[in-house]
């Protein structure tokens, strides 16, 4: 039992964090929810409309289609991150000569700003001047330039490729940190018990890495589910609606159509989708530290 | 112990006030003493020209000339790209940090007026002064009789074409879309004999944004279709699923999908890309405002005098947008008179003509419009196009219609959606927007 004096002192210690959280997270969230009940231009017009925006969002299949497209996008991006990230983390965890150089090189995509990555890949994909078309035409794989970002069939895949390239280093570094925290003694004990390399991976590495993997999975999924910048730069949600993920739709509602109320309602729904995903993962894999 | 508690409280308050002081905007920043001791007024202007070349440096140079004449005024620019302008204005308005003046267009003027962020310029500039401008331009710059922005320049949409290529091919300036298609086909060719097309007739802008949509809407209107209009009983209606609309969409999409007279990657080609294609001799025609002339020639000075203009070809009529650009004065500005004086300076005859020479944009004052430099083949088409300019419908959610038509043509180009399906979806969305705004 804490004395009231030490309790007060504790309160003072957590005060900066509480104030920061209230100002930067709680207030915007509550304000966003508040706006979703209004038809507003945020300055002079504040018409209370109740649940109208929510009803409107679910009155057709458009929003659900966007959510499904976003889930589809997120699924492939996260799968890509984990396949590449895990593979590279395992390699980087080996005691090989010059491995630090590779660690530095492989983390580079994560260090570039998203805007830079978007523009860089946009130029690489360019049908007239882009590197990909030039190389593919030179080796004879294609006869005419392909508009990678301008064709509905290829634009979605192109956006996923860019997102995987940008995001795999974060997964790689987190898993590498997780791998390095597994005590060597456990592997040694497993070896003494006659464990093979693959069995050690299955029965030692994976269980020990699971807490880090779950946290990484939640972070990565939520992060890419609400991703906006690179898709906006690459395709602006097009062509047609091929890459029109939910964050692009919210942005357009707010800053192109100036429907701030509807945009807020959509954002609140996305918040719940993200929360549900996190909850689902925790239920599925446990809390990670069990 | 009490002393320590009070001490920590005081420290916290001091730290908070320091943080707040650092985050808060300076109220005293607008007026300061100049070197000679006189009061100096600082005016902040948010300008899209600052992010463009050669417009940005030229606008700065004009402001410097003004500051030399008026040492009591200091002008500071905030650059913002055209595609981000409306977002930036909205964000700054909601945070109470609007600059004294900001770029404005007729498309956004109604929304800005609804927000109450623009001052009525009529009393500031005077009725007599406003009479010096083309009346239809003043009408386009006003909402409910209030002048929302001083129209600095006009960039009516017209067809820019390579006059030298047309001459070589024995082509005449296109009057209608059949002429246009014939010319586009003739100009699409393999110039280096490697078996691959490397020159195209038309630099089509097919992005899903205002830049692409505005161009298509001009084509749509040339087919006699209005994306949004008021019917006889005064209700808003859309013609987006009429046979004429389908014909317009099909014609536009066929330029890429059927005739192949546009470079690959049309849905990725925005204005900067199309202007670069024109500057590098990859395309022979593009739909654009006269500002493209300055942009293209600055990239390739050899093209000076080779770019001609003609009104947008017609199916049933010629059409054009005004392409007006000007400056609004913020209702919250404390320096309205000073800003108004600078804006008057910008549109003075000499400055307007110099600006036209440099950027290609047309002046908005009647007397300046009569000058000879605007009758050359480069500008004649744009000046003529002003006669065919239509007024943007006074509808609060008009920007949604830009997205509606852009979604339709992109779905047809990139996903091979049929014209019936694309226009049906466009009409449905249009009707939803109209219903929601009743």
């Amino acid at each position: 039992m804490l004395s009231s004096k030490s309790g007060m002192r504790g309160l003072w210690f957590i005060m900066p964090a509480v104030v920061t959280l209230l100002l930067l997270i709680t207030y915007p969230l509550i304000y966003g929810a508040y706006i979703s009940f209004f038809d507003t231009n945020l300055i002079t017009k504040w018409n209370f409309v109740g649940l109208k925006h929510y009803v409107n969002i679910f009155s057709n299949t458009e929003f659900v289609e966007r959510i499904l497209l976003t889930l589809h996008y997120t699924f492939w991006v996260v799968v890509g991150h984990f396949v590449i990230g895990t593979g590279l983390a395992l390699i980087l965890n080996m005691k090989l000569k010059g491995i630090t150089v590779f660690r530095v090189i492989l983390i580079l995509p994560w260090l570039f700003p998203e805007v830079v990555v978007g523009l860089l890949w946009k130029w690489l994909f360019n049908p007239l001047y882009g590197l990909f078309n030039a190389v593919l035409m030179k080796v004879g794989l294609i006869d005419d330039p392909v508009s990678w970002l301008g064709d509905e069939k290829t634009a979605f895949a192109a956006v996923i490729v860019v997102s995987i390239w940008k995001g795999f280093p974060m997964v790689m570094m987190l898993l590498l940190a997780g791998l390095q925290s597994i005590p060597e003694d456990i592997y040694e004990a497993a070896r003494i018990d006659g464990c093979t390399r693959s069995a050690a991976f299955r029965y030692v590495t994976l269980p020990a890495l699971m807490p880090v993997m779950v946290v990484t999975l939640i972070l990565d999924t939520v992060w890419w589910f609400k991703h906006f910048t690179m898709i906006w730069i690459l395709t602006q949600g097009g062509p047609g609606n091929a890459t029109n993920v939910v964050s692009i739709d919210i942005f357009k509602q707010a800053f192109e159509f100036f429907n701030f109320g509807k945009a807020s309602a959509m954002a609140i729904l996305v918040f719940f989708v993200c929360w549900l995903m996190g909850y689902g993962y925790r239920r599925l894999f446990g809390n990670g530290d069990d | 112990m009490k002393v320590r508690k009070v001490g920590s409280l005081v420290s916290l308050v001091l730290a908070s006030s320091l943080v707040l002081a650092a985050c808060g905007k300076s109220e005293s920043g607008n007026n300061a003493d100049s070197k000679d001791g006189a009061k100096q007024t600082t005016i902040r202007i948010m300008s899209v020209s600052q992010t463009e070349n050669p417009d940005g440096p030229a606008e700065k140079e004009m402001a410097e000339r003004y500051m030399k004449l008026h040492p009591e005024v200091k002008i500071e620019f905030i650059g913002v790209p055209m595609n981000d302008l409306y977002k930036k204005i909205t964000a700054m308005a909601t945070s109470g940090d609007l600059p004294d003046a900001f770029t404005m267009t007729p498309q956004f003027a109604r929304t800005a007026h609804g927000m109450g962020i623009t001052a009525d310029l009529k009393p500031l500039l005077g009725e007599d002064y406003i009479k010096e401008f083309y009346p239809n331009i003043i009408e386009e710059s006003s909402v409910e009789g209030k002048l929302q922005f001083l129209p600095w320049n006009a960039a009516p949409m017209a067809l820019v074409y390579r006059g030298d290529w047309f001459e070589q091919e024995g082509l005449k300036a296109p009057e209608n879309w059949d002429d246009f298609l014939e010319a586009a086909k003739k100009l699409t060719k393999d110039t280096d004999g490697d078996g691959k097309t490397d020159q195209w007739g038309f630099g089509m802008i097919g992005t899903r944004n205002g830049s692409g949509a505005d161009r298509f809407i001009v084509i749509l209107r040339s087919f006699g279709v209005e994306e949004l209009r008021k019917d006889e009983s005064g209700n808003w209606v859309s013609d987006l699923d009429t046979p004429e609309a389908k014909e317009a969409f099909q014609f536009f999409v066929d330029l890429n999908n059927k005739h192949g007279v546009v470079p690959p990657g049309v849905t990725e080609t925005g204005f900067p890309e199309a202007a670069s294609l024109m500057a590098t001799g990859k395309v022979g025609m593009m739909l654009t405002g006269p500002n493209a002339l300055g942009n293209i020639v600055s990239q390739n000075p050899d093209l000076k005098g080779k770019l001609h203009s003609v009104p947008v070809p017609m199916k049933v009529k010629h059409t054009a947008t005004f392409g007006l650009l000007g400056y609004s004065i913020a209702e919250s500005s404390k320096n309205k008179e000073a800003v108004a004086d600078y804006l008057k300076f910008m549109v003075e005859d000499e400055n307007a003509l110099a600006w036209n020479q440099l950027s290609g944009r047309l002046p908005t004052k009647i007397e300046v419009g009569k000058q000879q430099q605007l009758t050359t083949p480069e500008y004649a088409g744009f000046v003529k196009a002003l006669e065919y300019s239509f007024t943007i419908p006074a509808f609060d959610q008009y920007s949604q219609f830009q997205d509606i038509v852009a979604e339709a043509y992109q779905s047809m180009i990139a996903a091979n959606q049929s014209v019936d399906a694309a226009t049906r979806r466009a009409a449905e969305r249009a009707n939803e927007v109209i219903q929601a705004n009743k």
Side-chain angles (χ1 to χ4, degrees):
Chain A
M1 190 75 182
L2 287 167
S3 70
S4 66
K5 227 179 240 178
S6 62
M8 276 302 288
R9 199 176 302 152
L11 268 180
W12 278 112
F13 277 121
I14 63 165
M15 196 59 83
V18 169
V19 171
T20 310
L21 284 174
L22 283 175
L23 280 177
L24 300 182
I25 295 177
T26 315
Y27 171 70
L29 263 176
I30 292 171
Y31 189 58
Y34 174 75
I35 290 171
S36 72
F37 300 116
F38 288 86
D39 179 14
T40 175
N41 63 13
L42 300 180
I43 301 171
T44 51
K45 186 172 81 172
W46 286 94
N47 299 330
F48 181 74
V49 293
L51 293 172
K52 185 185 158 193
H53 293 311
Y54 293 93
V55 173
N56 183 261
I57 286 168
F58 288 111
S59 64
N60 57 43
T61 55
E62 229 171 83
F63 182 73
V64 178
E65 280 169 18
R66 301 279 182 273
I67 292 281
L68 289 176
L69 182 78
T70 314
L71 285 171
H72 190 189
Y73 161 79
T74 310
F75 173 79
W76 287 113
V77 172
V78 173
V79 166
H81 286 167
F82 269 78
V83 169
I84 298 173
T86 311
L88 289 173
L90 288 169
I91 295 170
L92 293 181
N93 195 37
M94 293 174 184
K95 290 178 183 70
L96 300 173
K97 204 177 170 188
I99 204 79
T100 318
V101 178
F102 286 98
R103 278 184 196 165
V104 173
I105 291 171
L106 286 168
I107 204 171
L108 281 178
W110 186 248
L111 299 180
F112 286 124
E114 286 175 352
V115 176
V116 174
V117 174
L119 289 171
L120 193 77
W121 281 83
K122 194 171 181 173
W123 276 106
L124 290 172
F125 283 132
N126 187 287
L128 280 182
Y129 309 107
L131 184 72
F132 291 144
N133 278 315
V135 170
L136 291 174
M137 281 169 78
K138 200 158 194 175
V139 298
L141 281 176
I142 53 171
D143 293 327
D144 295 305
V146 175
S147 175
W148 301 100
L149 298 172
D151 189 311
E152 205 182 43
K153 293 182 207 89
T154 52
F156 189 66
V159 164
I160 288 174
V161 167
V162 179
S163 304
I164 290 174
W165 185 85
K166 173 76 177 86
F168 81 82
M170 187 200 78
V171 175
M172 180 187 80
M173 292 312 286
L174 287 173
L175 296 187
L176 182 61
L179 284 170
Q180 289 179 343
S181 68
I182 303 172
E184 193 56 36
D185 311 3
I186 306 178
Y187 286 108
E188 211 176 306
R191 268 198 301 275
I192 292 165
D193 288 345
C195 207
T196 60
R197 274 176 85 94
S198 59
F201 180 76
R202 165 75 181 82
Y203 295 106
V204 177
T205 310
L206 272 184
L209 207 55
M210 196 52 89
V212 179
M213 283 183 113
V214 172
V215 172
T216 310
L217 191 63
I218 294 171
L219 283 177
D220 204 42
T221 308
V222 172
W223 181 265
W224 290 97
F225 185 83
K226 56 190 180 57
H227 182 70
F228 169 80
T229 320
M230 290 189 317
I231 304 179
W232 182 253
I233 287 168
L234 288 167
T235 62
Q236 292 191 318
N241 286 312
T243 58
N244 203 3
V245 294
V246 74
S247 55
I248 300 264
D249 222 26
I250 293 172
F251 178 79
K252 278 186 176 177
Q253 283 294 341
F255 293 106
E256 286 195 354
F257 310 152
F258 304 102
N259 286 332
F260 296 107
K262 189 175 177 184
S264 295
M266 290 165 83
I268 293 295
L269 292 172
V270 167
F271 167 77
F272 280 111
V273 173
C274 290
W275 179 80
L276 269 176
M277 284 191 302
Y279 179 75
Y281 277 140
R282 283 197 301 274
R283 293 280 296 186
L284 200 64
F285 299 108
N287 277 328
D289 54 359
D290 294 345
Chain B
M1 206 56 193
K2 222 176 207 174
V3 173
R4 199 185 294 170
K5 253 188 202 172
V6 173
S8 25
L9 193 67
V10 170
S11 316
L12 192 74
V13 170
L14 275 174
S16 311
S17 47
L18 273 175
V19 169
L20 289 173
C23 295
K25 59 175 177 162
S26 161
E27 282 298 330
S28 59
N30 273 353
N31 293 302
D33 290 340
S34 63
K35 280 175 198 163
D36 57 4
K39 206 86 168 154
Q40 194 177 43
T41 305
T42 300
I43 55 179
R44 291 192 307 146
I45 299 179
M46 187 157 73
S47 159
V48 295
S49 305
Q50 288 306 311
T51 60
E52 290 169 15
N53 209 18
D55 305 25
E59 190 187 24
K60 258 194 185 139
E61 187 272 326
M62 185 157 50
E64 269 156 24
R65 272 193 288 121
Y66 181 83
M67 286 189 279
K68 263 190 189 158
L69 293 169
H70 301 270
E72 75 283 5
V73 175
K74 188 182 171 199
I75 299 169
E76 286 176 0
F77 285 106
I78 304 165
V80 57
M82 188 67 218
N83 280 335
D84 292 335
L85 175 70
Y86 308 151
K87 295 151 205 148
K88 188 91 174 170
I89 291 175
T90 310
M92 290 179 107
T94 50
S95 61
D97 191 32
L98 266 180
D100 295 286
F102 42 88
T103 303
M104 183 54 66
T105 65
Q107 285 90 335
F108 192 64
R110 208 172 170 75
T111 309
H113 174 67
M115 290 177 177
I117 56 174
T118 44
D120 179 9
L121 301 190
K122 265 187 186 162
L124 270 170
L125 301 169
E127 292 278 355
D128 288 340
Y129 179 75
I130 289 167
K131 280 182 190 152
E132 293 176 23
F133 293 80
Y134 290 103
N136 54 354
I137 284 182
I138 288 296
E139 193 191 327
E140 182 77 345
S141 315
S142 304
V143 176
E144 294 167 3
K146 290 178 177 167
L147 186 61
Q148 295 300 298
F149 62 96
L150 183 75
W152 178 20
N153 51 58
M157 191 84 69
L159 183 76
V160 171
Y161 63 95
R162 284 287 297 266
D164 53 335
W165 289 4
F166 267 61
E167 205 175 311
Q168 280 166 23
E169 300 286 345
L171 292 164
K172 280 185 184 161
E175 172 66 15
N176 55 47
W177 289 115
D178 291 334
D179 298 343
F180 169 86
L181 184 57
E182 189 200 328
K185 283 179 175 170
K186 265 199 166 172
L187 295 175
T188 302
K189 55 172 77 167
D190 167 21
T191 58
D192 59 9
D194 69 349
K196 295 195 190 306
T197 304
D198 51 25
Q199 178 187 297
W200 291 268
F202 183 45
M204 186 159 133
I205 294 174
T207 42
R208 188 176 172 174
N209 55 17
S211 179
D214 281 348
R215 283 169 173 82
F216 177 72
I217 286 171
V218 170
I219 296 174
L220 195 68
R221 288 199 173 226
S222 78
F223 277 71
V225 181
E226 288 185 49
E227 71 290 356
L228 183 65
R229 65 179 170 86
K230 275 191 171 167
D231 65 8
E232 299 79 18
S233 49
N235 295 321
W236 289 108
V237 289
S238 172
D239 295 335
L240 284 175
D241 57 351
T242 58
E244 293 80 11
K246 289 178 187 174
E247 195 184 355
F249 273 106
Q250 196 64 61
F251 172 77
F252 186 67
V253 170
D254 281 350
L255 292 173
N256 178 71
N257 291 10
K258 185 176 169 188
H259 304 300
V261 294
V262 303
V266 67
T267 56
E268 300 169 58
T269 308
F271 171 75
E273 290 84 7
S276 291
L277 289 169
M278 196 90 189
T280 51
K282 293 274 180 200
V283 297
M285 295 184 277
M286 74 182 280
L287 277 182
T288 186
N291 52 313
L293 298 177
N295 185 306
I296 295 166
V297 171
S298 74
Q299 290 184 56
N300 182 1
D302 291 344
L303 292 182
K304 184 137 185 80
K306 291 178 181 170
L307 301 173
H308 296 184
S309 67
V310 69
V312 172
M314 64 172 186
K315 178 73 182 178
V316 297
K317 62 178 178 182
H318 292 297
T319 54
T321 48
F322 279 107
L324 279 185
L325 206 70
Y327 279 112
S328 286
I329 300 180
E331 187 64 270
S332 56
S333 169
K334 289 171 185 161
N335 307 306
K336 291 192 182 77
E337 280 78 19
V339 183
D341 192 62
Y342 171 63
L343 296 186
K344 280 183 174 176
F345 174 79
M346 288 175 76
V347 292
E348 275 177 10
D349 297 9
E350 194 187 320
N351 288 332
L353 283 171
W355 187 254
N356 162 258
Q357 193 95 55
L358 180 110
S359 72
R361 293 177 193 269
L362 302 185
T364 48
K365 283 168 111 177
I366 300 166
E367 282 308 311
V368 189
K370 291 175 185 164
Q371 298 292 322
Q372 208 169 5
Q373 75 183 44
L374 299 170
T375 59
T376 60
E378 278 166 297
Y379 292 111
F382 291 111
V383 176
K384 187 88 181 146
L386 272 177
E387 290 174 26
Y388 308 120
S389 297
F390 61 85
T391 306
I392 304 284
F395 185 81
D396 282 344
Q397 290 279 309
Y398 182 72
S399 59
Q400 292 230 36
F401 283 81
Q402 294 174 317
D403 191 63
I404 288 168
V405 295
E407 182 194 10
Y409 64 64
Q410 279 211 341
S411 300
M412 288 175 70
I413 291 170
N416 279 322
Q417 199 174 57
S418 73
V419 68
D420 287 329
T423 51
R424 194 183 320 120
R425 155 103 180 129
E428 277 170 14
R429 274 190 70 191
N431 289 330
E432 271 173 32
V433 176
I434 291 169
Q435 286 300 321
N437 276 271
K438 268 188 174 169

